[in-house]
Amino acid sequence: ITVAHGNKTQILLATSSRQLILLSLQGTTIREESKINLDYEVACLDITPFGNEENSSFASVGIWTDISIRILSLSTLTEITREKLEVQTIPRSLLFAQFGQDSYLFCGLGDGHLLNFHFDRKTAKLSNKRQLILGSQPIYFTLFNSKGGLSIFASGNRPTVIHYS
């Protein structure tokens, strides 16, 4: 296992043999739901559910070789969207988040740049790409609640909190 992400009911694993494996958690039972082979090795992934949902419908997968993000239907692991990042550095962290009625995908790069996209949950398309420089070290995300609202801690050599009010 090279990278993994989970929520209350799902775990997505990437292996060094370029496999992506979805597991479901039901009580004390872990079951393999689906598995696919990828062309390239996975750098990062995320299956954070939106809002108050327990399960995620989507997976975001960052790819090493072609420096892209893939949006997959989580239940079948089929690719819906592929976004070339058009940068020189690989994605190191991904995070789905919902602020108000809008859904976003945040992407932390290995060089301290943060990309964020508006994410359309009906079409699984990414749009309105924005870039922010948060230093020169890789960025990793942690989601937390603060004062009744959702916030994101972006770690790196210049840590930042992203908050919606």
Side-chain angles (χ1 to χ4, degrees):
I1 298 171
T2 57
V3 67
H5 188 259
N7 58 44
K8 290 179 182 180
T9 61
Q10 302 160 308
I11 299 173
L12 187 61
L13 309 170
T15 69
S16 58
S17 59
R18 299 186 209 155
Q19 285 189 321
L20 208 53
I21 304 164
L22 176 64
L23 305 174
S24 66
L25 306 171
Q26 298 169 345
T28 58
T29 305
I30 299 173
R31 186 175 70 227
E32 183 179 304
E33 296 294 330
S34 48
K35 182 190 318 186
I36 61 166
N37 292 314
L38 298 171
D39 295 335
Y40 302 112
E41 203 169 329
V42 172
C44 54
L45 46 81
D46 182 66
I47 58 169
T48 301
F50 289 102
N52 295 325
E53 297 172 358
E54 284 217 353
N55 297 326
S56 182
S57 299
F58 301 101
S60 57
V61 179
I63 303 295
W64 284 93
T65 308
D66 67 354
I67 309 178
S68 68
I69 297 172
R70 316 276 171 93
I71 304 297
L72 310 178
S73 167
L74 190 53
S75 60
T76 61
L77 296 179
T78 23
E79 184 177 312
I80 304 169
T81 300
R82 182 180 300 198
E83 179 80 20
K84 291 276 191 179
L85 295 181
E86 299 174 355
V87 294
Q88 299 299 312
T89 309
I90 61 167
R92 299 301 300 199
S93 183
L94 294 166
L95 179 69
F96 284 122
Q98 182 175 335
F99 289 127
Q101 299 301 312
D102 295 319
S103 300
Y104 297 92
L105 177 64
F106 291 86
C107 175
L109 301 179
D111 63 357
H113 287 74
L114 181 149
L115 305 176
N116 76 311
F117 301 86
H118 181 265
F119 179 68
D120 185 326
R121 292 168 60 189
K122 290 185 174 116
T123 64
K125 300 292 181 197
L126 299 170
S127 63
N128 299 333
K129 176 181 168 184
R130 295 184 183 184
Q131 184 170 327
L132 192 66
I133 300 172
L134 296 183
S136 58
Q137 300 299 313
I139 295 174
Y140 298 95
F141 301 112
T142 303
L143 201 57
F144 68 98
N145 286 308
S146 174
K147 298 180 184 176
L150 182 68
S151 297
I152 300 169
F153 178 71
S155 66
N157 61 318
R158 288 193 352 215
T160 302
V161 173
I162 302 163
H163 181 74
Y164 173 80
S165 54

PDB file of all heavy atoms in Angstrom, residues 143-156:
ATOM      1  N   LEU A 143      -9.052  18.454   7.491  1.00  0.00           N
ATOM      2  CA  LEU A 143     -10.370  19.072   7.620  1.00  0.00           C
ATOM      3  C   LEU A 143     -10.748  19.113   9.100  1.00  0.00           C
ATOM      4  O   LEU A 143     -10.526  18.147   9.820  1.00  0.00           O
ATOM      5  CB  LEU A 143     -11.369  18.207   6.851  1.00  0.00           C
ATOM      6  CG  LEU A 143     -12.685  18.781   6.393  1.00  0.00           C
ATOM      7  CD1 LEU A 143     -12.489  19.987   5.510  1.00  0.00           C
ATOM      8  CD2 LEU A 143     -13.466  17.709   5.652  1.00  0.00           C
ATOM      9  N   PHE A 144     -11.305  20.248   9.578  1.00  0.00           N
ATOM     10  CA  PHE A 144     -11.764  20.320  10.965  1.00  0.00           C
ATOM     11  C   PHE A 144     -12.917  21.317  11.079  1.00  0.00           C
ATOM     12  O   PHE A 144     -13.127  22.152  10.204  1.00  0.00           O
ATOM     13  CB  PHE A 144     -10.612  20.678  11.913  1.00  0.00           C
ATOM     14  CG  PHE A 144     -10.071  22.073  11.753  1.00  0.00           C
ATOM     15  CD1 PHE A 144     -10.486  23.106  12.589  1.00  0.00           C
ATOM     16  CD2 PHE A 144      -9.115  22.360  10.786  1.00  0.00           C
ATOM     17  CE1 PHE A 144      -9.976  24.385  12.449  1.00  0.00           C
ATOM     18  CE2 PHE A 144      -8.594  23.637  10.632  1.00  0.00           C
ATOM     19  CZ  PHE A 144      -9.034  24.659  11.478  1.00  0.00           C
ATOM     20  N   ASN A 145     -13.678  21.186  12.160  1.00  0.00           N
ATOM     21  CA  ASN A 145     -14.774  22.115  12.445  1.00  0.00           C
ATOM     22  C   ASN A 145     -14.308  23.134  13.467  1.00  0.00           C
ATOM     23  O   ASN A 145     -13.665  22.785  14.452  1.00  0.00           O
ATOM     24  CB  ASN A 145     -16.002  21.376  12.987  1.00  0.00           C
ATOM     25  CG  ASN A 145     -16.711  20.618  11.890  1.00  0.00           C
ATOM     26  OD1 ASN A 145     -17.035  21.181  10.851  1.00  0.00           O
ATOM     27  ND2 ASN A 145     -16.936  19.329  12.100  1.00  0.00           N
ATOM     28  N   SER A 146     -14.651  24.391  13.222  1.00  0.00           N
ATOM     29  CA  SER A 146     -14.288  25.465  14.131  1.00  0.00           C
ATOM     30  C   SER A 146     -15.433  26.463  14.181  1.00  0.00           C
ATOM     31  O   SER A 146     -15.877  26.961  13.132  1.00  0.00           O
ATOM     32  CB  SER A 146     -13.012  26.150  13.632  1.00  0.00           C
ATOM     33  OG  SER A 146     -12.718  27.279  14.406  1.00  0.00           O
ATOM     34  N   LYS A 147     -15.915  26.743  15.373  1.00  0.00           N
ATOM     35  CA  LYS A 147     -17.001  27.700  15.571  1.00  0.00           C
ATOM     36  C   LYS A 147     -18.202  27.380  14.694  1.00  0.00           C
ATOM     37  O   LYS A 147     -18.795  28.250  14.070  1.00  0.00           O
ATOM     38  CB  LYS A 147     -16.509  29.117  15.336  1.00  0.00           C
ATOM     39  CG  LYS A 147     -15.421  29.541  16.282  1.00  0.00           C
ATOM     40  CD  LYS A 147     -14.953  30.949  16.025  1.00  0.00           C
ATOM     41  CE  LYS A 147     -13.798  31.276  16.958  1.00  0.00           C
ATOM     42  NZ  LYS A 147     -13.239  32.585  16.699  1.00  0.00           N
ATOM     43  N   GLY A 148     -18.525  26.084  14.584  1.00  0.00           N
ATOM     44  CA  GLY A 148     -19.691  25.647  13.828  1.00  0.00           C
ATOM     45  C   GLY A 148     -19.512  25.632  12.326  1.00  0.00           C
ATOM     46  O   GLY A 148     -20.428  25.322  11.590  1.00  0.00           O
ATOM     47  N   GLY A 149     -18.318  25.949  11.842  1.00  0.00           N
ATOM     48  CA  GLY A 149     -18.075  25.961  10.401  1.00  0.00           C
ATOM     49  C   GLY A 149     -16.933  25.042  10.021  1.00  0.00           C
ATOM     50  O   GLY A 149     -16.109  24.659  10.848  1.00  0.00           O
ATOM     51  N   LEU A 150     -16.895  24.700   8.764  1.00  0.00           N
ATOM     52  CA  LEU A 150     -15.857  23.837   8.235  1.00  0.00           C
ATOM     53  C   LEU A 150     -14.598  24.653   7.960  1.00  0.00           C
ATOM     54  O   LEU A 150     -14.673  25.764   7.431  1.00  0.00           O
ATOM     55  CB  LEU A 150     -16.353  23.202   6.928  1.00  0.00           C
ATOM     56  CG  LEU A 150     -15.436  22.224   6.241  1.00  0.00           C
ATOM     57  CD1 LEU A 150     -15.304  20.956   7.082  1.00  0.00           C
ATOM     58  CD2 LEU A 150     -15.981  21.884   4.876  1.00  0.00           C
ATOM     59  N   SER A 151     -13.449  24.104   8.317  1.00  0.00           N
ATOM     60  CA  SER A 151     -12.164  24.745   8.046  1.00  0.00           C
ATOM     61  C   SER A 151     -11.190  23.701   7.537  1.00  0.00           C
ATOM     62  O   SER A 151     -11.349  22.504   7.773  1.00  0.00           O
ATOM     63  CB  SER A 151     -11.597  25.392   9.313  1.00  0.00           C
ATOM     64  OG  SER A 151     -12.434  26.420   9.778  1.00  0.00           O
ATOM     65  N   ILE A 152     -10.164  24.182   6.848  1.00  0.00           N
ATOM     66  CA  ILE A 152      -9.119  23.312   6.317  1.00  0.00           C
ATOM     67  C   ILE A 152      -7.779  23.834   6.808  1.00  0.00           C
ATOM     68  O   ILE A 152      -7.475  25.020   6.635  1.00  0.00           O
ATOM     69  CB  ILE A 152      -9.125  23.293   4.771  1.00  0.00           C
ATOM     70  CG1 ILE A 152     -10.465  22.783   4.252  1.00  0.00           C
ATOM     71  CG2 ILE A 152      -7.966  22.462   4.238  1.00  0.00           C
ATOM     72  CD1 ILE A 152     -10.650  22.987   2.759  1.00  0.00           C
ATOM     73  N   PHE A 153      -7.003  22.955   7.412  1.00  0.00           N
ATOM     74  CA  PHE A 153      -5.637  23.292   7.781  1.00  0.00           C
ATOM     75  C   PHE A 153      -4.739  22.813   6.658  1.00  0.00           C
ATOM     76  O   PHE A 153      -4.744  21.626   6.307  1.00  0.00           O
ATOM     77  CB  PHE A 153      -5.247  22.628   9.101  1.00  0.00           C
ATOM     78  CG  PHE A 153      -3.825  22.892   9.505  1.00  0.00           C
ATOM     79  CD1 PHE A 153      -3.437  24.153   9.933  1.00  0.00           C
ATOM     80  CD2 PHE A 153      -2.872  21.891   9.450  1.00  0.00           C
ATOM     81  CE1 PHE A 153      -2.127  24.409  10.293  1.00  0.00           C
ATOM     82  CE2 PHE A 153      -1.558  22.130   9.811  1.00  0.00           C
ATOM     83  CZ  PHE A 153      -1.185  23.396  10.236  1.00  0.00           C
ATOM     84  N   ALA A 154      -4.001  23.735   6.054  1.00  0.00           N
ATOM     85  CA  ALA A 154      -3.047  23.405   4.991  1.00  0.00           C
ATOM     86  C   ALA A 154      -1.651  23.514   5.590  1.00  0.00           C
ATOM     87  O   ALA A 154      -1.191  24.617   5.901  1.00  0.00           O
ATOM     88  CB  ALA A 154      -3.215  24.346   3.811  1.00  0.00           C
ATOM     89  N   SER A 155      -0.999  22.357   5.790  1.00  0.00           N
ATOM     90  CA  SER A 155       0.328  22.369   6.399  1.00  0.00           C
ATOM     91  C   SER A 155       1.388  22.521   5.322  1.00  0.00           C
ATOM     92  O   SER A 155       1.176  22.211   4.171  1.00  0.00           O
ATOM     93  CB  SER A 155       0.558  21.088   7.201  1.00  0.00           C
ATOM     94  OG  SER A 155       0.605  19.977   6.336  1.00  0.00           O
ATOM     95  N   GLY A 156       2.513  23.000   5.720  1.00  0.00           N
ATOM     96  CA  GLY A 156       3.656  23.235   4.836  1.00  0.00           C
ATOM     97  C   GLY A 156       4.598  24.134   5.614  1.00  0.00           C
ATOM     98  O   GLY A 156       4.486  24.270   6.825  1.00  0.00           O
TER      99      GLY A 156
END
